[in-house]
Amino acid sequence: MFENKVAVVTGASRGIGRAIALALARRGADVVLAARDQARLSAVAGEIAALGRKAVVAAGDLRREEAVEALREAALSAFGTVDIVVNNAGVGKYGPLSDFSPEDYDWIMDTNMRASFLVTRAFLPTLLEKGSGDLVFVASVAGLKGLPHEAVYCASKFAQVGFAQALDHELRERGVRVSVVAPGGVKTEFAFGTGRTPGDPRLEGFLDPEEVAEAVVFALERSDKARAFLVGLRPMSEPL
Ligand code: NAP
């Protein structure tokens, strides 16, 4: 399905991003893997190579403009183009607002929103030049409704959803498709040490990251005439 396509996936060193990168590679895409942890990114690149696809690693902190520029250069020098950009890198912290410092706020907003802005801005000229391509945002149910103990995370994810919705209006007529995937709880290392604990039995009821990757594939597999603007996904263990 994605033969001859090049996909950039942020937050690809583990969790949902790793699952998305593998799901796209299994369907024929070559993948550019971005996150900070070089060793983990290289391990994912090895898994992709074993599937017979090419993978390029771009390690860096995507809150930083220089790192995003290096990602763009790595992608374009390896493949000459990009077709799919998945903004997935993200962080979170759970707790009462009084437990949040300004540094927590900057960390969450910058990783979830600023990095989405920088990465989208870096690759948009390539997509617009081609007059086709996909921008996918892995947001959250926390981007659709306010939840207790998640005020800053919700603010960052609402921002991401608003950004995507505005871009949908701005880019649709120029051939670039925008999709948002909004999962509930997913069984990853997300927020470990900042509100979630490894081994917490609640994680067992959460979605598997592969399930979220399939939702991304669903959005990307639509025909040229259709767009799956918002794909919501909740575990059976969670109320709506
Ligand atoms: P995860 O296992 O903690 O993975 C997060 C990814 O983001 C990692 O690859 C991490 O890589 C990367 N990342 C974090 N900060 C970064 C930075 N400054 N620069 C570059 N990369 C950075 O969490 P996940 O569950 O897979 O989360 C992926 C996305 O899904 C996030 O946007 C999250 O908000 C969203 N989501 C998660 C859940 C859930 O319950 N797990 C639910 C709904 C939505 P490095 O540490 O190597 O940089």
Side-chain angles (χ1 to χ4, degrees), residues 11-16 35-37 60-63 88-91 111 138-140 153 157 183-186 188-190 196:
S13 58
R14 59 175 192 262
I16 296 169
R36 291 164 302 179
D37 189 325
D61 185 335
L62 297 171
R63 291 171 292 180
N88 164 78
V91 294
T111 311
V138 179
S140 170
Y153 183 61
K157 289 292 171 177
V186 188
T188 65
E189 296 172 32
F190 183 78
R196 284 189 189 165

Side-chain angles (χ1 to χ4, degrees), residues 138-222:
V138 179
S140 170
V141 63
L144 305 174
K145 65 176 191 178
L147 298 161
H149 289 181
E150 299 188 30
V152 178
Y153 183 61
C154 284
S156 74
K157 289 292 171 177
F158 267 71
Q160 219 185 12
V161 172
F163 183 71
Q165 205 170 88
L167 288 179
D168 174 65
H169 288 290
E170 188 172 322
L171 303 175
R172 181 179 54 78
E173 288 182 346
R174 300 179 70 185
V176 177
R177 188 164 61 176
V178 179
S179 307
V180 171
V181 172
V186 188
K187 193 181 160 203
T188 65
E189 296 172 32
F190 183 78
F192 278 4
T194 50
R196 284 189 189 165
T197 316
D200 183 336
R202 281 178 311 167
L203 292 174
E204 289 312 315
F206 282 6
L207 301 164
D208 289 323
E210 289 73 21
E211 195 99 49
V212 183
E214 290 307 313
V216 171
V217 168
F218 170 81
L220 293 171
E221 275 183 339
R222 293 312 87 209

Side-chain angles (χ1 to χ4, degrees), residues 25 44 53 56 66 76 83 127 141 154 180 203:
V44 178
R53 303 312 317 172
V56 165
E66 310 77 56
L76 294 182
D83 304 282
L127 302 184
V141 63
C154 284
V180 171
L203 292 174

Side-chain angles (χ1 to χ4, degrees), residues 81 108-109 111 117 121 124 151 154 157 207 217 236:
T81 193
I108 294 167
M109 292 299 285
T111 311
F117 160 70
R121 177 174 166 269
L124 198 49
C154 284
K157 289 292 171 177
L207 301 164
V217 168
M236 289 296 278

Side-chain angles (χ1 to χ4, degrees), residues 14-125:
R14 59 175 192 262
I16 296 169
R18 170 183 168 273
I20 293 169
L22 290 171
L24 299 183
R26 240 175 253 122
R27 289 166 175 83
D30 294 323
V31 190
V32 184
L33 306 165
R36 291 164 302 179
D37 189 325
Q38 171 91 48
R40 280 189 172 206
L41 288 172
S42 297
V44 178
E47 293 183 87
I48 289 175
L51 294 169
R53 303 312 317 172
K54 295 196 194 93
V56 165
V57 164
D61 185 335
L62 297 171
R63 291 171 292 180
R64 292 180 42 244
E65 213 177 323
E66 310 77 56
V68 175
E69 181 52 26
L71 165 62
R72 193 183 73 86
E73 275 174 22
L76 294 182
S77 67
F79 299 116
T81 193
V82 165
D83 304 282
I84 297 165
V85 178
V86 183
N87 283 288
N88 164 78
V91 294
K93 169 175 167 168
Y94 298 102
L97 191 68
S98 51
D99 288 357
F100 281 68
S101 65
E103 289 73 24
D104 290 329
Y105 176 89
D106 288 344
W107 171 59
I108 294 167
M109 292 299 285
D110 287 355
T111 311
N112 298 356
M113 185 56 237
R114 180 179 157 86
S116 293
F117 160 70
L118 290 175
V119 170
T120 301
R121 177 174 166 269
F123 290 105
L124 198 49

